[in-house]
Every structure is written in C-alpha cells, then in structure tokens.
C-alpha cells in the first residue's frame, strides 16, 4: 500500500477522532485534551502534505469503496485526489493547524473549550471530507457538517451574554450569537436544498454521483437532459445556489456579517479562510461538466452558459456589494466579514469567467484558486490580528480602538501586511492573484465584469486604510473622533491592560502567515505559472481540449504587455481608494464624520450602505416576518376552527341527534302500541305502493 | 316424551319449585340455584348426545322420528341456539345464586329461568309454526314474570306490564300471520311450507302474512320501531335477567324470523331483503345513537342491544349462507359480550347501589376483575380484534359486500365507531381515580358473581383469538336453515 | 432462508404479550421496576428480529411462518413474513418500543406520582401491561401476511392507547382519548372496508391476492378506501385534526410510539398498495403528491407557531409523515425506498425529540417554551439529544434523515421529470423540507440557548434511564446515516 492510498482517508478521519477525543477527555484532563486535538490536527496536516507529490505528478486518483445500494444502482464512497482537491485540502489543513495553535492561547480560559475543540476538529474533518469526496453524496455530508459546525461555533456563546452580542452600537439593534448561528444555518440550508435538487436532477439523467464519471460520461447523458428545454438551465441554477449560499454570495450573503459573533479563531478559520471557500471549491468542481456542455460537446448546449453567466455576474456584484458595506462598517470583524464576501466574489467571478469563453478555462480557474490560497492566508492574518486587537482594545468597534502602535508592533506589522495584500499592493501575494483575475476578465472579453472588479479594488483600498487608520493611527485618544459614551463593555476594557500585545503563541501563527504572504508575493509569478500548468494538465486529463491561446487580447496587447497594463491600472485604482482614506483616517486633517451631514445625498448613501442596502430588512419583511405571521395564525384561524368544527361539532351533532331520537322513547304504553300499529300500516302502504298487494 | 334434553329440561322445570318447598329455608336460594345450574349442565350433556344424532342425520324429527307428524325438528341450528341458551342461562343462574340470596321467592325465580329456557329451547326445536307459537308463549310468560320479579327495584312491575302488553300484541299479530300462512298452504310444518310455497307465484296474501309475522316476531326481536319496550324492560329487570333477556331472549325472535323468512317467504325474498337492509340500518342507528346520551348504565346497555339487533339483521338482508352465518355468529357473540356486560353492570350496581354512570368513577380501582371483564366485553362489543365481536362483524360485513350491499357493511362499521362513543365512556369511568365516598366503600364482586363473569370474559377472548370452531358451528347452523329452505 | 430458532417470528410477537401478562400480575409488587420486565420482553423481541435480519442479510430470500388461524369466511392464514421490507420496519419499531420502555421507567414514575400520588402500585401494572401491546401490534402488523391479520394487529394497540391516554394523559385527556379512539377507529374502519371488498371479491384476504384486483374498477375502489383509511391514520391534511391534540397530550413515552403508529401507514401503503395494487395505486400519484405537499407546508407552519414543547413535536409529525407519503406517491422504487427509509429515520428522531420534551417537562415542570431558555448549560446531554433529533428531522448528515431524504427526493424528482406539475410539486416539496430546519432548530435554540430564566436555574440533567435509550437511538441513527446499506440492502432486495 502506498502512502497516497491511506493519507487522504486518514487526513479527515484523524480530526474526527480528535473531535470525539475532545469530548471524551473533557472531564479527564484538559491538557491531554488540548494535546490530543492539536496532534490529530498536526497529523492531518501532515497527511495532506503527503498528497502534494501527486499534485506534482499531475495524477488524479479516485479511491472508491462500495458504500450502499439504491434502486438499480449503487453508491460508492470514495476520495478523489487531484490538483483541485489537493490544493484546497492543503490550504484548509495548514490554516486549521495554525489557527488551532492560536486558539490554545486565545481560548485558554474558556470553561467549555471541549465544545470548541469538538466543533473545530469536526469542522476540519468534514471540510476535508467535502474537498476530497469523489461524489456528490459524500461531499454533501461534509458540506452539511461544516454548516453544522459553523452553527455550533457562531452560537458558541450560546447563553447570549451581552458582551458577545454584535451589531450596534447602541441605537442600532444588536444580534445575539444563538440567533446568528441559526440564521447562518438556515440561509445556507436554503441553498443546500436547491443544491440537493440539482444533484438529484443531475443524477436522474447521468445515473451517477461521481464527479469524474459525470464528466467522462457527459457526452452520453447531456443530450437526454437537453432534450427538455429548461432542465439544463434549471440544473445550473439549482446547483449554483448551494455554493452561493455557502460562500455568502448575493443573495445569500446576509448570514456572513452576523457570523462574526463566534470566537475570533472561528471567524478566521470558518468564515474567512475555509468554509466559505467550500462554495468556490464546489463551483470549480462542477465547472468542467458545464464547460463541456457549453464548449466541448459537439452540438453545444448554450443553456449550460447559465452556470457561468450566473457565477460571473453574482461574483462581480457581490465583490462590489461587500466592498461598499465594508467602507462604513463600525465593527472591526464586520469590515473583515464584508471584505471576505467581496473577495469570494472575486473568486466566483473568476470561475464564471473561465467558462464564458472557450479559451479562459485555465486562466479563470487557476487565478481563482490562486486567489483562494492567498486570500485564505492573508485573511487569517487579518482575523487573528483582529482577535488580539479586540482583546486588547476591549471593544469590537473601530471607533473605540486607537491602539498604541508601539506596544503592539508585531500585530501592527502583520496586520498591515495582511491589509496591503488584501488591497493587492505590489509585491504581496494578493497583487498577483488579483491581477490574474483581472487579466482573465480582459482576455475573455468580459469588460463589464472587469470594470466592476476594478471598482472593487478602489473600495478595498479605501476600507483597508480606513480600518487600519481607525484601529491604530487615529490621533489622540479623545481627539476628533466621535466616541460613544456607552462603551459597550467597560468592564472588559478595564480588566485588560489597554493596548497589550498578544501572547507569543498568538503572534506565532499570524506572524508566520504574514511572512508567507510576503514570500508568495516575491515568487508570485512562479506560483501563478505553476498553478496554470497544473490546471491545464488537470483539464486536459478530463478531455476538455482547451483551445490554445487564440484570444486576441485587449487592445492588441497580450502576454506581458497586458499584465503590465493591468498592473498599472490596478495600482492607480488602489491609489484612488487609499489616498482619501489616508487623509481621512490615518493622518486625519478633519473629523471624517464632518463628511456626513444629517441629511442630503451623502447621508442617504451612507444610510443605504450602513443598512446593508436594506437587503436584510427586505428579507425580514418578505420572508421572516410573513412566515412568523402565517405560523402564528395557522393555529388560530385554521387549526382551531377545524378542531372545533370536527372534534367539537361532530360529537355535538350526535348528541343532538341522540336527544332527538330519545323523544320517540316515551315509555308510554299507548304510544308504544301505536308504533306497532303504525308499523303494520306503513308496511301495508309500502306494499301497496310497490304494487305487491 | 320428545327427546332427552328437552324432556329433562321440562322435568327439571317442574321439579324446581317442589325442591324449593321441601328444602330448608335458609339454604333455599342456594339449593334451588345449584339445582337449576345442575339441571342446565345435565341438559347440556344430554344435548351433546342429541348433537351426535343431528350430525349423523342432518335433522332429527320428533316424536318417533317421523317426518309427517313431527312436532319438533332438531337440526344444527337448533343445537346451536340451544347451546347458547343453556350456556348463558347457566352463567346467569350461577350469578343469580349470589344475587337473589335473600329473596323469599327464590324457587320461583329459578323455576322461571328454567321455564324461560325451556320455552326458548322449545322454539328452536319446533318443527312447525304451531309448536313454535306455543313455546313462544311459554317463553313470553316466563319473561314477563322475570322482569317484574324484584318489585323493590325501580319500576319493574310497570315495565313487566308494558312488556306483557306489547309482547301479547305481537304474539297476536304473529298468530294472525301464521293463520294466513296456514290458509295459503294448509300446513304449518316447515318442510311442508317449503314444499307448498316454493315456486309459487307471490300473491298479496304472502306479503300480508310476511308483514304480520314480521311485526309479531319483530316485537320480541326489538326491531325498529318495535323496540320501544326494550329499554324499559331490560333496565327494570334484575341483572341476571337483563343478561338473559338481552343476551338470549332476542335469540328466539331472530331465530323465528329467520326460520319463517328463509322457508315460507323465500318466494318473496327480493322484497324482504331490501326491507331488512333498511331496517337493519335504522335499527342500529337508533339503538346506538340513543345510547350515546344515556346516564343509566343498564339503559345504555339496553339501547346498545337494539343496535346489535340491527347488526344481526344484515345477515337477513344479505340472504346468503355467509350472511346467516354472520347473523348466528353475531347472536352467539352478543350473548357472550352483552351477557358479560350486563352481569358486570349488575355486579357493580349490586355493590354500589346506584346505576348512574357518572357516580361510578373509580369503580375499577375497587373491583378490578369485574372492571377488567367489563372493559373486555365492551371492547368486544365495539368490535375490536382480537375479541369475539370482530369475527362476527367481519362475517356480516363480508356477506354484505358479497351481496353487493357494501353500504350496509359501511353502516355496520360506522355504527361500531359510534357505539365506541358510549361503550368507551364506561371504560373511562371505571379507570378513573375514586372520587366519591360511595365508591370508596365498595369491594370486589362476590365470588359466585365473579365466576360467570370471568368465564364469559375468557370465552370472549378465546373465541376472538380462535374463532374457527365457533364460525364453523355457526356456519353449520346457517347451512341447516339454508338447506331446509332448499336454497343451497 | 432458515433460522436455527423455531417459530422465531411468532416468538417475536408473542413474547411482549406474555410480558404484558407478567406485568399485569407482577406490577403491584414490583412497582416501578415492572418496567424492566417490559424492557426484557421488548429486548428479546428486538434481539430475535435482529437475528432474523442478520440471517436475511446473509442468506437472502424471505422467511415465512404460517399458522392456520381460521376458516372465517375464507381461509385465513395467520402468517408471518419476514422480507426486505418488513424486517427493517419491524426491527426499527421494536427498537423504538424498547427504548421507550426503558425511558418510561423514570418518566412514568414521575407521571404517576404527579397524577395519582406515590401509593398506587396498580398503575404501573396497568401502564406496562398496556404498553407492551404496542410492540405486539406493531411487530405483528409489519409481519402480517393477510389484511385481516394486519387489521387485527393494528387495532390491538387501539384500546390500550385509549386507556393509557385516559389514565396517564395530560390536559383534557378524557375527551382527547375518546377523540383519538374514534378517529383511528374510523380510519381503521375505512381501511377494513377496502380490505374486505378486495378480500371478498378476490376470494382471499392474503395481501398478495390484492393484486388480483389491481387495475380493475373495483381495485380502484378498494385501493382508494385503503388509502384513505391509511391517510386518516397518518394524519395528512384534512384528516389531521386529531393528531396534534392526541400526540401532544399523551405521556411522551407513548407519543413516541404514536409517531411510529402514525408512520406505520407508510409501510402499509408500500406493502398493500405499492407492492400489490400498483396498477390502481399509480392513479393516485398526483392527488397524493399534492396532498403530501400541502400537508408538509401546513405542518411546517403549524409547528412553527407552537409555544408548547409537546405540541410542537406533535405538530411536526404531520409534516414529517407527509414526506413518506410524498415518496410513496412518486410511484417508483427510489421513492418508496426513500419513503420507508424516511419513516424509519423519522421515528428514531421523533422518539428522541418527544422524549426530550418529556425530560423537559419532568425536569422543569413546564411545557411552555416561553418559560425556558439557556438549558444547554444545565442539561448538556439533553440539549445535544434535542439537536441530534432536529438533525434527523431536518436531514443533516451524518444522521439517517439525510440519506433517507435524498433517496426519497430522487424518487420524487424521477416522477417530477414525467410532467411539469410533478416537477413543480417536487421542487415545492424540497423547499418545504427547508422549513423543517426552521421548526426544529428554532425551538431548540429557544429552549436551550440564550439566558436562563430565573426559575430554571436549578434544573438538573435527567437520570440515565431517560437519556441512555435516546443516546442509543441517536447512535443507531448515525450508524444508519453513515452506512445506509443497513437499511438499503433490505429495501433494494424487494423494490
């Protein structure tokens, strides 16, 4: 047996064991519990690393075992090890390991840490299962389990103590962790429901759940599916809704900002670096099927383009939407949450691009995955730093922070590196992946998407500078910044030495990752080249004959010229966003709140963004409130009347009947005798009428 | 004189008052009761001997086994009915020993029971309508007397009087019908009637005769609208008598109707099957719905008997071997179930001194065995499997479906649901916690009451779980009647 | 196939009956420990059925035991049939009954003390003797080979059901006991009408001879009547008005069994109609699907509005059984397999949830969700069990609900591809399942999360006899979820 046969299985089974061990050891020994959990995570990380050599071989391996049978078929459980799954699995397990290490310090004083470990380990296990599964059903198990873990971790502070509320500040409503957990679970479930429908329809035509078989046999089952118009498009939409919900893309993005009520490592791991990428992964996983249908199949099925158009449009829109909301957010973690939405929008749009023209398959996918890797790393840096910052400041609001740049030097530097990478500043990792996405947009001729993506760059630059400025650089403590009189949790602030640097166990993970961001940035083109070659082999193995670089490029430019052009434009865009933010927040020349008069267009715009484009309110008005309204009335206006009519009315009717019938029972002899006579008479009449006598 | 079991029965009947006179006063009740019970056992043994003959010869003609002059004709149906009469009579007698202990007129009581049973046995043994009529009167007179026997309870005299007048009127009507038949055919012998009337074109006189015979016998059977005497009589009579009246006295009525309609009136069958179908539905509905609101336990059971009569009439409407099997089966089961229920009710009333259902809360806690038997019998009356009520209803229902009268079967099931409405009220009251001081004081029924109750309960369960022998027996009885009518 | 144990299926049915008698006689002396006799009896039955299941798995085929019962009207064989359909169903129901008997030991102790005070030893006898008639009825019903026998077993639970409700139920129990009896009795009557029509016309009551009528006009009538009878017992919309009341006011140990009885209709439809009267049954596809979807939505909204913890789970049964009906209405093997699988999964989940409700009622003394909150800290195991139950119902892997649900919906969508109306129904139905997550998780959060109200601070975890059976059920559900072949191996062998 070779290591590659075992490693994929072990890498997700080990954390599952770790999860159970956390529960088992909780009452026994906390130290042993911590060590067990960390070592299973470490082992799992090693196992994923062991898979990397086969990435270099460009091989794709499918380990399938018999799982169970259904009518007329059987379902196998198997793991698929190919370029896509290996890369994502490594990102997941590596980031998890570092975050788990960070958590040992960050969560050290939490009394119910066993629950934390359980969900974190289970999350890692199910995320790896999701990524490695070779079929939809097994994947779906991991898929739902990560949602469940997310639910458990967002609502980790299930008692809803006031210090764990998010939202606000005061005049604005707060949200409680338990409710946020439920919201995340339900919104993603909605998408999952659609995804399941898509999977089922796909199965009914293809008779397989296996990803590879789906692609390999696509030529045979697609005609039957396309025979009924609309089915293919419907399937595209249904299949996309699941990943969109999971990745917090419009219109399902509303759960992510509120998911920040979990502990910060959770936000870092699940709601920024990994779980929300599951959607991107799945879109990438399903993409070849629809690419085949749209471009490779002999009579092309244009309906399959729905998949790409929808992904591209929604990705671009979400990138913009997230960016605008991040610009006005007051909570540090919410800024990061919106930026996550926005960044994932980038990845999704890149995947959309890859199928919008015949030639951008590799460019789109590889840039998207490159972005995924980079974003995972620098977003973890940002979140982990944010955790330390929030602890240190004793508040979740940027307005309250204004931390010392001297005492928190490591955090400050790491966070700036992460932030600049997010902005896409040369030569950090984010620069390369963002430029790749932009180039792919241009190369495939999607100028509208390119434009939206460029605007997002401006927004990103603005909100990153604003965030950093408010957190670290804004003038004197009681300077010109508006400060809430009601410091939401004064006690927490007093307990902590204000502006304390994090513990070294906390600094180590994000310091390491910040360094990695720089390193990847330095070798960016090489990584990018490697990914593109890996994916072109990957697609070639699937038989998706990628047309050689036939596109004409943009303005006659191609290759290096195009790259330079895009890089230049994007640097300009960054400056457009960063410069105003610099003068507003980092070296403020005036109070930024002066920009916001009480009325007028700017206030309206601000309110619009602050209220998240009123989308949340819209959902509440259209879905939540009517549902509650209906459910409150079903009992009163349907169930109770029915109950009264049937369970009350029918017995009443019989009682009434019984009372009536009792009247003939007079007990008087003469009347009884009369019945006898009447019987005879009636019988005779009936006989006479019947013609018998 | 006739045949051993019947002779014995008559002898014992006559002997019982004499025994009562000669026996010492303080033991009189026990001696007479035991004598009557023993008499029924002896008759039962003798009946088994007769049954062997019937099995061998299909029908035994008496006296002297001569067809033409036969007064009595014993076939499987007769044996079947007699077995029920004797069985329930025996249970009621044992029960009565405890019940009538302190009465001064004990010998008459047991004599009357024996006379009643003799009358009924005579009816089912009768080979011609005249003999049937004579024994009918014997049964009627004994039953009036029994209803009125315990003067201190309620209004038994009035009830007995009403019962007497109604029944007498019925008898007279029946006699008129019988006369018409005789006028038409010149014979009253059942086989003679079949021979005379088969193939005859129906004329008005046959219809008239059918109406009068139906009304006459229908009074005793308590078919709507001739049922009105029944609730009064049943509730006024003492518990064992109610059990006998409800359990088996409707038997002769059903029997007589079946015997006449499936022999003499076969030529007009198409007319009366429909009539019986309608009457069946109306009767069961009236009985069950009226029972819903009764507060007097015995009255409620009395009404429910009317409902059960309605079920039995389905067999008439189906007019097939299967239907008659169902009718007889239902009759047998009804004797067990309603007999048991009345005996339980009697035991509770005996202990509690009240018949109001709402005052019985918690009786089950004090009299668990009685209450359990009551619950079982009531569940059987609803038709719940695996109790004996179910095979009867199933057979009747099947026969209705077979005869393309599915609606009749539906009415049957609907009624069994309605009847749950009042039957279950009894169970509900019994299992409640004790709420009144009157109930607090009572204790379990006397042993002599408990024995027949439990015996009947065991039979209810036994014939529910393993109904086969009973069904076969009822099937033989039905065959006997069908083959007598020459209708395969 | 053969087994080493003689009359094994008969034993599985009879032993609880013998247990019932023992309980009746010994209950007075053993008091609360009577429950262990009951548990022993059900465990024995479960073990026998598990043995049969293992044999069936290894040998294939089916096991038939025939005892001649009677010649009432027609030849009636009192037969028992163990095949791929009946064994998983019977085994699952037997497991539920076992878990509930163990659960009852503490729960009924509490209930009896609450209702009748401490010194009523007879009530234990009454409870367990009657309770054991449920496994008799359910196991017997699943193994029946003719409709009359099936009816007999179905009805055998009815009377105990009435008395248990009447004696041990919650508020308004007398009226509701009567109501439940009448409703199920009517359902049974309608079912019997159909069965007898079919039996009389086909000349035999054997379930397999239903096929004689399949496709004829009479078959349609019989099929329709049987279906309506079953739907009344299953509480689909229109026939459901008894279900929330009856379900909620029962002692929770029995409510869990009631969910099984209600869901048993799934098995009956699969066995009687799908297997044997397919040609007639398939005409009901569209109406049945519409009814199921309406019921799913109605059940979901009804459930969402409840504030009473027992009523909440009671209402959810309405929608949940409709899933199974939907699967059966899809008229293909996948749908039926999914429907039966979902039934098994649902009763596991519902048993857990109802028992959790029972635990909450016994430990907190209130049924109102509004008065609860933050109990996860006080009773973590119960909270976990509640969430696991919610996961089963809302089809979250790795619990069994997920596997059942996707198989079911594969069947439904297969039907959906045959016509637009079906497709719309299928998609609507799938989105109704989304509501399940709302009405299971939302209350769970209101009960177990958030701040703890003042009165609830002293709440303690329930005793082990109440939680352990539920943990066992959850483990079974996880096992089935991870290895669906445990169920599917059997089901695919018949469909």
């Amino acid at each position: 047996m070779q290591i590659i046969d075992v490693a994929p299985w072990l890498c997700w089974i080990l954390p599952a064991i770790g999860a159970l061990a956390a529960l088992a050891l909780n009452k026994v020994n906390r130290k042993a519990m911590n060590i067990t959990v960390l070592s299973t995570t470490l082992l799992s990380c090693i196992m994923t690393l062991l898979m990397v050599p086969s990435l270099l071989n460009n091989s794709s391996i499918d380990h399938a075992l018999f799982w169970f049978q259904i009518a007329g078929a059987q379902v196998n459980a198997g793991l698929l090890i190919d370029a896509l799954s290996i890369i994502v699995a490594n990102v997941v397990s590596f980031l998890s390991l570092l975050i788990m290490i960070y958590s040992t310090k960050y969560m050290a004083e939490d009394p119910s840490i066993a629950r934390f470990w359980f969900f974190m380990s289970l999350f890692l296990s199910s995320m790896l299962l999701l990524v490695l599964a070779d079929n939809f059903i097994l994947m779906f198990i991991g898929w739902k389990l990560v949602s469940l873990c997310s639910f458990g971790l967002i609502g980790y502070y299930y008692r809803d103590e006031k210090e764990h509320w998010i939202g606000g500040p005061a005049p604005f409503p707060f949200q409680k962790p338990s409710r946020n957990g439920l919201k995340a679970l339900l919104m993603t479930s909605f998408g999952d429901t659609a995804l399941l429908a898509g999977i089922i329809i796909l199965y009914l035509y293809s008779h397989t759940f296996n990803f590879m078989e789906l692609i390999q046999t696509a030529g045979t089952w697609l005609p039957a599916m396309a025979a009924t118009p609309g089915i293919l498009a419907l399937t595209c939409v249904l299949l996309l809704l699941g990943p969109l919900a999971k990745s917090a893309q419009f219109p399902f993005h509303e759960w992510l900002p509120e998911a920040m009520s979990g502990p910060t490592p959770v936000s870092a791991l699940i709601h920024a670096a990994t779980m929300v990428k599951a959607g991107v992964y799945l879109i990438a996983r399903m993409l070849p099927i629809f690419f085949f249908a749209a471009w490779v199949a002999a009579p092309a099925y244009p309906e399959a383009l729905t998949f790409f158009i929808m992904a591209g449009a929604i990705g671009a829109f979400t990138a913009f939407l997230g960016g605008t909301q991040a610009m006005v957010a007051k909570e540090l973690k919410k800024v990061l949450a919106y930026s996550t939405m926005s960044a994932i929008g980038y990845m999704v749009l890149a995947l959309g691009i890859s199928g919008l023209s015949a030639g951008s398959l590799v460019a789109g996918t590889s840039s998207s995955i490159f972005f995924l890797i980079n974003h995972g790393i620098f977003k973890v840096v940002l979140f982990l730093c944010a955790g330390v910052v929030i602890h240190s400041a004793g508040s979740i609001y940027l307005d309250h922070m204004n931390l010392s740049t001297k005492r928190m030097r490591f955090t400050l530097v790491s966070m700036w590196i992460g932030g600049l990478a997010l902005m896409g500043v040369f030569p950090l990792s984010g620069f390369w992946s963002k430029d790749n996405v932009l180039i792919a947009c241009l190369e495939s001729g999607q100028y509208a998407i390119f434009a939206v993506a460029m605007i997002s760059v401006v927004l990103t630059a603005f909100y990153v500078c604003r965030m950093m400025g408010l957190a670290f650089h804004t003038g004197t403590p009681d300077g010109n910044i508006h400060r809430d009189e009601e410091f939401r949790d004064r006690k927490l602030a007093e307990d902590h030495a204000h502006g304390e640097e994090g513990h070294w166990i906390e600094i180590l993970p994000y310091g390491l990752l910040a360094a990695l961001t720089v390193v990847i940035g330095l070798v960016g083109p090489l990584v990018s080249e490697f990914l593109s070659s890996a994916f072109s082999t990957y697609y070639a193995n699937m038989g998706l004959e990628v047309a050689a670089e036939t596109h004409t490029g943009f303005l006659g430019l191609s290759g290096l010229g195009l790259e330079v052009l895009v890089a230049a434009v994007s640097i300009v865009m960054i400056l457009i966003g960063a410069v105003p933010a610099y003068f507003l927040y980092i070296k403020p020349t005036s109070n930024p709140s002066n920009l916001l008069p009480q009325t007028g267009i700017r206030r309206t715009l601000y309110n619009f963004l602050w209220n998240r484009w009123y989308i949340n309110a819209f959902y509440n008005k259209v879905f939540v409130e009517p549902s509650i309204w209906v459910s409150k009335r079903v009992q009163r206006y349907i169930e109770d009347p029915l109950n009264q009519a049937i369970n009350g009315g029918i017995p009443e009717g019989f009682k009434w009947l019984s009372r009536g019938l009792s009247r003939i029972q007079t007990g008087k002899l003469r009347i009884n005798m009369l019945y006898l006579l009447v019987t005879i008479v009636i019988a005779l009449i009936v006989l006479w009428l019947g013609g018998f006598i | 004189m006739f045949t051993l079991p019947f002779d014995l029965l008559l002898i014992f009947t006559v002997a019982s008052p004499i025994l009562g006179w000669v026996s010492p006063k303080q033991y009189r009740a026990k001696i007479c009761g035991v004598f009557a019970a023993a008499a029924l056992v002896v008759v039962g043994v003798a009946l088994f001997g007769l049954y062997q003959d019937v099995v061998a010869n299909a029908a035994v003609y008496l006296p002297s086994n001569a067809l033409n002059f036969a007064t009595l004709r014993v076939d499987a149906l007769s044996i079947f009915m007699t077995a029920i009469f004797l069985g329930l009579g025996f249970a009621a007698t044992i029960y009565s020993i405890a019940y009538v202990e302190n009465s001064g007129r004990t010998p008459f009581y047991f004599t009357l029971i024996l006379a009643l049973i003799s009358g009924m046995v005579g009816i089912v043994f009768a080979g011609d309508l005249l003999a049937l009529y004579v024994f009918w009167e014997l049964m009627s007179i004994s039953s009036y007397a029994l209803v009125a026997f315990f003067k201190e309870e309620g209004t038994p005299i009035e009830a007995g009087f009403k019962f007497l007048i109604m029944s007498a009127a019925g008898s007279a009507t029946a006699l008129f019908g019988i006369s018409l038949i005789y006028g038409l055919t010149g014979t009253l012998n059942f086989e003679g009637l079949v021979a005379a009337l088969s193939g005859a074109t129906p004329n008005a006189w046959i219809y008239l005769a059918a109406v009068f015979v139906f009304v006459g016998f229908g009074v005793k059977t308590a078919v709507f609208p001739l049922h009105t005497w029944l609730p009064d009589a049943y509730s006024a009579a003492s518990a064992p008598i109610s059990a006998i009246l409800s359990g088996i006295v409707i038997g002769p009525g059903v029997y007589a109707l079946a015997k006449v309609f499936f022999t003499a009136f076969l030529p007009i069958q198409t007319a009366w099957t429909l009539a019986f179908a309608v009457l069946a539905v109306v009767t069961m509905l009236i009985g069950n719905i009226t029972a819903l609101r009764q507060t007097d336990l015995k009255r409620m059971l009395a009404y429910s008997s009317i409902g059960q009569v309605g079920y039995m009439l389905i067999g008439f409407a189906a007019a097939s071997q299967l239907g008659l099997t169902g009718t007889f089966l239902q009759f047998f089961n009804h004797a067990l179930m309603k007999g048991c229920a009345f005996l339980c009710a009697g035991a509770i009333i005996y202990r509690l001194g009240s018949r109001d259902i709402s005052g019985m809360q918690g009786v089950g806690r004090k009299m668990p065995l009685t209450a359990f038997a009551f619950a079982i019998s009531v569940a059987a009356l609803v038709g719940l499997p695996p109790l004996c009520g179910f095979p009867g209803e199933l057979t009747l229902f099947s026969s209705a479906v077979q005869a393309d009268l599915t609606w009749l079967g539906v009415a049957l099931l609907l009624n069994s649901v309605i009847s749950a409405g009042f039957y279950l009220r009894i169970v509900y009251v019994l299992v409640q916690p004790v709420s009144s001081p009157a109930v607090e004081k009572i204790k379990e029924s006397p042993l002599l009451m408990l024995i027949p109750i439990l015996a009947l309960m065991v039979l209810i369960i036994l014939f529910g779980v393993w109904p086969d022998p009973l069904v076969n027996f009822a099937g033989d009885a039905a065959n006997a009647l069908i083959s007598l009518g020459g209708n395969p | 196939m053969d087994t080493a144990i003689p009359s094994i299926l008969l034993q599985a049915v009879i032993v609880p009956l013998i247990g019932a008698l023992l309980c009746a006689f010994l209950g007075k002396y053993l008091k609360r420990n009577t429950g262990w006799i009951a548990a022993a009896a059900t465990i024995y039955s479960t073990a026998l059925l598990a043995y049969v299941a293992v044999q069936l798995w290894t040998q294939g085929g089916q096991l038939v035991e025939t005892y001649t019962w009677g010649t009432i009207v027609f030849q009636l064989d009192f037969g028992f049939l163990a095949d791929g359909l009946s064994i998983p169903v019977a085994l699952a129901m037997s497991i539920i009954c076992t878990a509930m008997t163990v659960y009852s030991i503490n729960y009924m102790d509490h209930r009896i003390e609450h209702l009748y005070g401490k010194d009523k030893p007879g009530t234990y006898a009454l409870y367990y003797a009657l309770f054991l008639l449920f496994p008799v009825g359910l196991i017997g019903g699943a193994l029946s080979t003719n409709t009359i026998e099936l009816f007999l077993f179905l009805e055998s639970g009815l009377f105990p059901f009435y008395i248990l409700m009447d004696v041990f139920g919650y508020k308004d129990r007398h009226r509701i006991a009567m109501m439940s009896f009448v409703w199920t009795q009517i359902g049974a009557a309608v079912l019997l009408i159909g069965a007898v029509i079919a039996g009389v016309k086909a000349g035999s009551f054997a379930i397999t001879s239903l096929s004689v009528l399949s496709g004829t006009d009479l078959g349609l009538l019989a099929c329709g009547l049987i279906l309506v009878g079953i739907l009344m017992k299953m509480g689909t919309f229109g026939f459901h008005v008894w279900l929330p009341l009856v379900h909620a006011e029962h002692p929770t140990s029995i409510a869990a069994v009631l969910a099984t009885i209600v869901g048993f209709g799934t098995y009956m439809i699969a066995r009687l109609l799908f297997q044997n009267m397919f040609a007639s049954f398939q005409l009901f596809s569209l109406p049945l699907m519409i009814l199921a979807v309406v019921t799913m939505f109605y059940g979901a909204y009804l459930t969402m509005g409840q504030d009473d913890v027992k009523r909440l789970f009671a209402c959810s049964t309405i929608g949940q059984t409709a899933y199974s009906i939907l699967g059966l209405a899809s008229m293909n093997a996948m749908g039926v397999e999914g429907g039966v699988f979902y039934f098994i999964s649902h009763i596991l989940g519902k048993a857990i949830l109802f028992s959790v409700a029972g635990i909450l009622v016994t430990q907190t003394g209130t049924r109102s969700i509004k008065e609860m909150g933050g109990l996860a800290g006080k009773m973590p195991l119960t909270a976990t069990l509640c969430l696991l139950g919610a996961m089963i119902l809302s089809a979250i892997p790795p619990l069994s609900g997920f596997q059942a649900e996707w198989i079911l919906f594969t069947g439904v969508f297969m039907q959906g591809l045959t016509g637009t109306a079906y497709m719309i129904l299928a998609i609507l139905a799938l989105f109704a399942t989304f509501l399940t997550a709302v009405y299971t998780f939302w209350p769970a959060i209101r009960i177990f999360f958030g701040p703890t109200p003042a009165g609830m601070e002293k709440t303690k975890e329930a005793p082990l006899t109440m939680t352990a059976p539920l943990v066992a059920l959850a483990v079974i559900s996880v096992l089935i979820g991870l290895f669906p072949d445990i169920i599917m191996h059997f089901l695919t062998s018949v469909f």
Side-chain angles (χ1 to χ4, degrees), chain C residues 1 20 53 83 95 102 107 127-128 154 174 182 229 265 275 281 291 326 337 350 352 372-373 429 466 484:
Chain C
M1 57 164 278
D83 67 357
I95 287 171
V102 178
Y107 174 76
Y127 175 79
Y128 288 107
L154 272 185
H174 310 308
V182 170
Q275 271 197 333
F281 181 50
L291 187 65
L326 185 76
E337 285 168 12
K350 199 41 78 62
I352 293 175
M372 299 179 192
M466 290 176 94

Side-chain angles (χ1 to χ4, degrees), chain B residues 31 77 107 132 158 235 393 399 405 426 449 476 482 488:
Chain B
I31 290 175
L77 177 56
L132 190 146
E158 191 204 332
S235 56
E393 287 188 11
S399 72
L405 291 168
I426 299 171
M449 290 190 178
D476 289 346
I482 295 283

Side-chain angles (χ1 to χ4, degrees), chain A residues 67 158 186 193 635 639 647, chain C residues 183 240 298 306 377 434 450 482:
Chain A
W67 193 12
Y158 68 90
L186 293 183
T193 310
Q635 175 75 37
E639 186 70 16
N647 294 328
Chain C
W183 266 101
H240 71 282
Y298 184 78
Q306 303 301 327
F434 162 73
L482 290 177

